[in-house]
Amino acid sequence: MLDPRLFRSDLEQVVQQLQRRGFQFDAVAYQALEDRRKGVQVKTQELQNERNTRSKAIGQAKAKGEDVQPLLDQVADLGDQLKAAEAELNDIQNQLSVLLEGIPNILDATVPAGKSDADNQEVSRWGEPRQFTFTPKDHVDLGEPLGMNFELGAKIASARFVVLAGKLATLQRAIIQLMLNTHINEHGYQETYVPFLANADSLRGTGQLPKFEADLFTVKNDPTFYLIPTAEVPVTNIVRDVIVEAKQMPLKFVCHSPCFRSEAGAYGSDVRGMIRQHQFEKVELVQIVTPETSAQAHEELTAHAETILQKLNLPYRKVLLCAGDTGFSSSKTYDLEVWLPGQQKYREISSCSNFKDFQARRLQARWRNPETGKPELVHTLNGSGLAAGRTLIAVMENYQNEDGSITVPEALRPYLGGIEKIQ
RNA sequence: GGAGAGAUGGCCGAGAGGCCGAAGGCGCUCCCCUGCUAAGGGAGUAUGUGCCAAAAGCGCAUCGAGGGUUCGAAUCCCUCUCUCUCCGCCA
């Protein structure tokens, strides 16, 4: 959520900034609603003040043993007026918050213009795509003989689910272990274990609700639960309604979790294989930082994710998302795209975002600034470090041999009992 | 799942319709005194939000959440959530 005060003080600027995303903000309708809000709120508060004052007078008169009937007569119709004003104000504020919750974050000044992923800006490349002496297979063809079974996934649940058996399942677990250990031991993150179902308040806090409910799986329950689409949701909500002491900052959490996405609107895309599943494993990095350090933290967090790709010796590129491709809650996002020989393409394997105070305002996540002594909104960041399912694919495709076996990357061997090859 | 108890500021805890945004204690911050490892005295110490460019100021809201009764609710009523104790079930 954006700062409502920003809308009041600099509406024109906000409209322009949102336009960079292609988001048309109806400033006229907003202004009309805001004008009503101001009028009704002031009136309501005046009525409340009057009620409080008069009630106090009644109490004092009664204590002195005076006749309070005349005073009671004076406030006879105050209650109804107040009730009506409060109801109207409540209605207006609901409308306003619906409006505000549907508005995306303001983009960072460094985000390039553009409409789609075609306009994203490549920042750097690391590693050289391997030259194969044979035609490389994709992970589906490689995986099926090794225990990757999509029919079973469909039987047990539906399309877009998979069953991994044997060494492939172990390989994915090894990948997760490497990621966790690296981020904990080398990058200073604290490991967390969290609920994989979250309530509506939590989803609202990180920005998935109310706008993106269709992307979530819901659990029939009262109240409704949602399967987490990413560990970002439960982990970032650790600081919801919290005032963090300055000496505890920055908070750095790493969390392995399954992620569940309905992939509504993704029909027909990436239907083959494990690229786009309803359930996948991910290791997520979350940082809660002070505002002036968030840009720096964003670079660092992205580098932490890159470390994993480097340890696995997987070629990748780092891309700065353009205005039109940057997610709703983010002000700036780097994607890491890994080289997939089976597709002859770089594909997203990590997305690292600086949300600045956008999530923090929804979450009321704050820190106490020692300079002012006041609670101020924190900045939140997160990034995949990395998506484990896609990392599995990348390892399989990049490390495949002509006979269909897969060489285990050096960095993973300690987690696989030292074996060098999966076949 | 059943029965009972509870939820008040950073923490403990009083509060039982008006004098309560809330006693007292602890903690913390600042000042004073004292001087030797500890003590004494004083002041301050919630959050959100409206009017305002901002500050100041003046309001409004908040005692788990939501609703109700009342001129007036931390206090009375209803619903829900969470915590604790006991029983049952269970990885």
Side-chain angles (χ1 to χ4, degrees):
Chain A
M1 201 163 86
L2 297 175
D3 188 347
R5 276 172 287 205
L6 205 59
F7 288 84
R8 288 176 220 161
S9 63
D10 208 352
L11 189 57
E12 202 45 47
Q13 177 73 8
V14 173
V15 170
Q16 275 178 27
Q17 285 296 320
L18 292 173
Q19 225 139 32
R20 292 188 65 202
R21 284 183 181 269
F23 185 88
Q24 295 301 325
F25 179 61
D26 189 346
V28 175
Y30 169 82
Q31 194 59 59
L33 196 56
E34 169 59 17
D35 288 345
R36 273 185 71 205
R37 190 225 95 231
K38 190 191 271 195
V40 174
Q41 180 157 357
V42 168
K43 184 178 132 207
T44 304
Q45 293 188 352
E46 277 168 1
L47 285 170
Q48 285 171 327
N49 185 14
E50 190 179 344
R51 178 203 59 197
N52 292 345
T53 312
R54 288 181 184 267
S55 292
K56 203 161 256 180
I58 291 171
Q60 284 164 356
K62 220 171 189 176
K64 289 183 202 153
E66 293 168 7
D67 179 17
V68 296
Q69 195 52 49
L71 292 171
L72 286 176
D73 293 342
Q74 282 175 21
V75 294
D77 60 337
L78 198 59
D80 289 340
Q81 282 183 52
L82 186 54
K83 212 166 248 179
E86 280 174 341
E88 191 183 356
L89 179 61
N90 198 26
D91 180 55
I92 292 170
Q93 280 180 330
N94 283 341
Q95 287 183 49
L96 269 174
S97 76
V98 165
L99 202 68
L100 286 173
E101 282 187 344
I103 297 170
N105 201 355
I106 301 272
L107 294 166
D108 190 87
T110 58
V111 171
K115 286 185 176 165
S116 72
D117 57 355
D119 302 315
N120 292 343
Q121 201 173 80
E122 184 174 300
V123 176
S124 61
R125 281 189 189 217
W126 187 93
E128 282 294 317
R130 173 181 157 199
Q131 297 302 310
F132 285 87
T133 54
F134 56 94
T135 306
K137 296 174 179 166
D138 79 355
H139 69 281
V140 179
D141 291 336
L142 285 166
E144 273 169 358
L146 298 173
M148 181 180 288
N149 192 325
F150 294 97
E151 285 73 31
L152 269 182
K155 181 175 85 172
I156 296 166
S158 83
R160 293 196 192 275
F161 285 92
V162 71
V163 170
L164 297 177
K167 285 287 183 290
L168 283 186
T170 312
L171 180 60
Q172 176 172 257
R173 180 161 56 85
I175 286 167
I176 292 164
Q177 290 280 64
L178 170 70
M179 292 177 189
L180 284 170
N181 286 342
T182 301
H183 297 312
I184 295 164
N185 299 325
E186 297 171 26
H187 301 148
Y189 288 79
Q190 182 180 43
E191 183 170 8
T192 52
Y193 172 77
V194 295
F196 300 150
L197 302 183
N199 59 34
D201 282 344
S202 294
L203 274 301
R204 195 173 297 113
T206 35
Q208 283 79 14
L209 289 181
K211 213 172 181 181
F212 304 103
E213 182 161 24
D215 296 337
L216 301 168
F217 282 113
T218 59
V219 177
K220 262 190 201 168
N221 187 67
D222 188 25
T224 304
F225 285 136
Y226 298 86
L227 296 185
I228 58 168
T230 157
E232 163 197 344
V233 173
V235 174
T236 310
N237 270 278
I238 289 173
V239 292
R240 171 151 55 91
D241 294 322
V242 169
I243 301 170
V244 182
E245 289 306 320
K247 60 175 186 268
Q248 293 179 288
M249 303 279 276
L251 296 174
K252 293 165 75 178
F253 300 115
V254 59
C255 182
H256 159 235
S257 84
C259 304
F260 303 92
R261 300 189 182 176
S262 75
E263 294 299 344
Y267 298 113
S269 60
D270 295 320
V271 286
R272 180 177 164 85
M274 277 182 69
I275 286 278
R276 192 173 299 280
Q277 296 272 287
H278 285 313
Q279 172 185 323
F280 62 94
E281 300 298 302
K282 182 157 60 64
V283 170
E284 185 76 0
L285 304 173
V286 173
Q287 290 201 29
I288 311 296
V289 308
T290 59
E292 69 277 10
T293 58
S294 75
Q296 172 74 18
H298 187 212
E299 299 299 326
E300 287 169 9
L301 185 145
T302 308
H304 295 153
E306 287 178 65
T307 303
I308 304 298
L309 289 163
Q310 291 170 11
K311 283 193 176 194
L312 292 171
N313 204 21
L314 293 169
Y316 69 91
R317 59 179 203 146
K318 176 177 166 185
V319 170
L320 175 57
L321 299 194
C322 74
D325 205 28
T326 301
F328 179 82
S329 301
S330 176
S331 76
K332 181 178 182 179
T333 299
Y334 291 117
D335 272 6
L336 301 179
E337 298 180 346
V338 70
W339 177 254
L340 291 185
Q343 296 192 356
Q344 292 289 303
K345 272 185 198 160
Y346 285 98
R347 292 301 306 260
E348 179 188 339
I349 197 166
S350 171
S351 193
C352 301
S353 299
N354 184 356
F355 300 90
K356 298 193 178 166
D357 62 9
F358 187 85
Q359 291 182 326
R361 185 168 295 104
R362 291 174 166 232
L363 292 162
Q364 281 304 304
R366 291 165 295 168
W367 69 298
R368 199 173 290 280
N369 185 344
E371 285 175 23
T372 60
K374 296 279 180 214
E376 295 173 14
L377 294 173
V378 299
H379 279 194
T380 62
L381 305 99
N382 68 54
S384 350
L386 310 161
R390 288 190 180 176
T391 307
L392 174 69
I393 293 173
V395 166
M396 289 170 70
E397 293 194 5
N398 281 281
Y399 283 84
Q400 64 179 291
N401 303 306
E402 192 161 12
D403 63 0
S405 65
I406 292 157
T407 301
V408 176
E410 296 270 3
L412 292 176
R413 289 182 192 172
Y415 300 99
L416 281 161
I419 66 163
E420 294 175 14
K421 218 183 240 188
I422 291 173
Q423 52 197 356

